[in-house]
Amino acid sequence: MTSTAPVTGRAPARRRARTPIVDADIHPVVTADRLAAALPEPWRRRFLRFGLRGAPPPAVYPRVRHGGMRRDSHPEAGPPGSAVRPPGSDLDLTRSQLLDPYDVVAGVLIPMQGHTAGAEEPAFAAALCRAYNDVLVTDWLDPEPRLRASICIPHESPAEAVAEIERRAADPRFVQVLFPSGTFLPWSDAKYRPIYTAAAAHGLPVAIHLGGTEGHRGDGWPSFYLEQHAWYGNAVAVALTGLVAGGVLEAVPDLQFVLVEGGVSWLPSLLWGLDDAWALCRDDVPWLTRPPSEIVRERVWFTTQPIDEPPVPAHLATTWEQTGMTDRILFSSDYPHWDFDDPITALRVLPAALRRPMAAANAARLYGLTLPGSEA
């Protein structure tokens, strides 16, 4: 966790990273005026007159102040009378605080607004997600070649979600399909299979990011941020168990999942427990013909943030090595949140043999990116 910088002006340039960084979790924000401009009628009028079903992140966060954002990540005010722009809405500020000072050679955009928009009434949800994706192209991808994006989909309306995947899949700058952890039904429910199948058909991983309409933990809203931050992995672990036991990973064999913002250190004990339970109860899940840990190690990726900070730093490397999946862990900063992980310091407790692949190479392999110096 990186402490919030004091509000003394824009963050100064930092020392450069020794290795290139690929950041798997950057949060852009599409402001209401930009979203309205991208919406066709009658959806623009509906949005302006009635708004959305629920407040999108960060307004829903129990992070008490500043929407959970770094205090220095608020763009400077425009002319008198102009709307206040939220953190994550300014590409130049993202460049100056993240991309440039840390040698981020590629960053994957995850617009959290897609979490809640995807659960609106089907036609409205589809229009909102199309608009978010359109704005990502014009405001972020076109002017900044280092960026990639996640396809926002109306995840509770699979037919419309598949249509949006089909519409965006030909653009190589969209590198994954965004899915929230907080869905109406378990991830393993057959309702969502068409989405998974469509993503797999286009070679796109499904990135499941913490959040959504249900909450952040799988058991209701937390009252304190301490609960939320310290146990982000809870919802992700529960959902991963459902994906495995429900046979999703077997039913859609070409699909890769990326579990974002759920941490990693809970994984070894879960894999041990899954394998042990499978050995005892395999008749209950006959579609699982091999130990669950083998399946997870072939099909699932994880991101680092919020990185664990044990009192003995070496314990972190030991725990992650116990996953047997260090080649599937991606660095993520979670910019512009206040508990953002600094791309240089977050991984420094790890030995170089673990740190360097996680900084960039693992993500480059998953997303098909070419790193500097690796060109043929």
Side-chain angles (χ1 to χ4, degrees), residues 52-360:
L52 302 175
R53 171 183 289 174
V60 295
Y61 284 176
R63 300 190 190 191
V64 186
R65 300 182 66 185
H66 307 300
M69 300 297 185
R70 287 170 44 162
R71 294 181 65 187
D72 64 347
S73 67
H74 290 258
E76 294 178 345
S82 60
V84 175
R85 293 182 300 157
S89 62
D90 187 303
L91 174 58
D92 285 339
L93 190 53
T94 301
R95 286 173 172 144
S96 67
Q97 291 189 331
L98 179 68
L99 301 181
D100 294 340
Y102 294 110
D103 279 344
V104 176
V105 297
V108 180
L109 301 175
I110 295 183
M112 295 180 297
Q113 293 161 302
H115 289 170
T116 46
E120 294 280 350
E121 181 273 328
F124 187 38
L128 288 168
C129 290
R130 284 196 298 270
Y132 281 128
N133 293 328
D134 290 344
V135 175
L136 289 180
V137 170
T138 58
D139 290 8
W140 294 82
L141 299 182
D142 283 350
E144 180 49 71
R146 287 173 288 186
L147 294 176
R148 302 293 184 272
S150 311
I151 303 176
C152 297
I153 58 167
H155 57 274
E156 298 297 347
S157 308
E160 288 81 0
V162 170
E164 186 61 11
I165 293 172
E166 300 288 347
R167 194 171 78 97
R168 288 295 173 189
D171 186 340
R173 297 173 298 179
F174 284 93
V175 295
Q176 62 189 11
V177 174
L178 180 60
F179 210 81
S181 65
T183 47
F184 288 176
L185 296 170
W187 299 348
S188 57
D189 193 275
K191 166 184 173 178
Y192 303 116
R193 296 282 177 90
I195 297 173
Y196 302 151
T197 302
H202 290 286
L204 294 169
V206 169
I208 299 180
H209 183 274
L210 201 72
T213 53
E214 167 271 347
H216 287 71
R217 300 192 308 161
D219 60 351
W221 286 98
S223 299
F224 307 100
Y225 185 64
L226 182 152
E227 300 176 78
Q228 182 176 335
H229 182 87
W231 196 213
Y232 264 163
N234 184 28
V236 176
V238 169
L240 176 60
T241 305
L243 281 178
V244 172
V248 174
L249 299 179
E250 298 293 80
V252 192
D254 296 328
L255 181 60
Q256 299 284 316
F257 281 96
V258 190
L259 305 188
V260 185
E261 207 172 328
V264 184
S265 298
W266 47 268
L267 184 59
S269 62
L270 176 64
L271 295 180
W272 299 333
L274 281 172
D275 282 357
D276 184 62
W278 173 79
L280 296 171
C281 308
R282 55 191 302 177
D283 290 346
D284 192 33
V285 285
W287 43 85
L288 295 182
T289 59
R290 52 191 177 133
S293 63
E294 288 187 14
I295 303 169
V296 171
R297 286 174 179 137
E298 293 175 3
R299 307 288 300 287
V300 185
W301 304 68
F302 299 85
T303 64
T304 56
Q305 203 278 342
I307 200 166
D308 302 281
E309 299 177 80
V312 179
H315 290 174
L316 181 61
T318 300
T319 302
W320 285 9
E321 286 173 333
Q322 289 171 340
T323 67
M325 302 180 65
T326 55
D327 61 341
R328 285 175 164 259
I329 298 175
L330 320 176
F331 171 76
S332 59
S333 73
D334 200 26
Y335 176 87
H337 284 302
W338 70 262
D339 51 359
F340 145 94
D341 280 338
D342 181 311
I344 293 176
T345 60
L347 299 177
R348 67 183 175 184
V349 298
L350 298 173
L354 291 182
R355 182 177 66 249
R356 289 173 179 163
M358 290 179 191

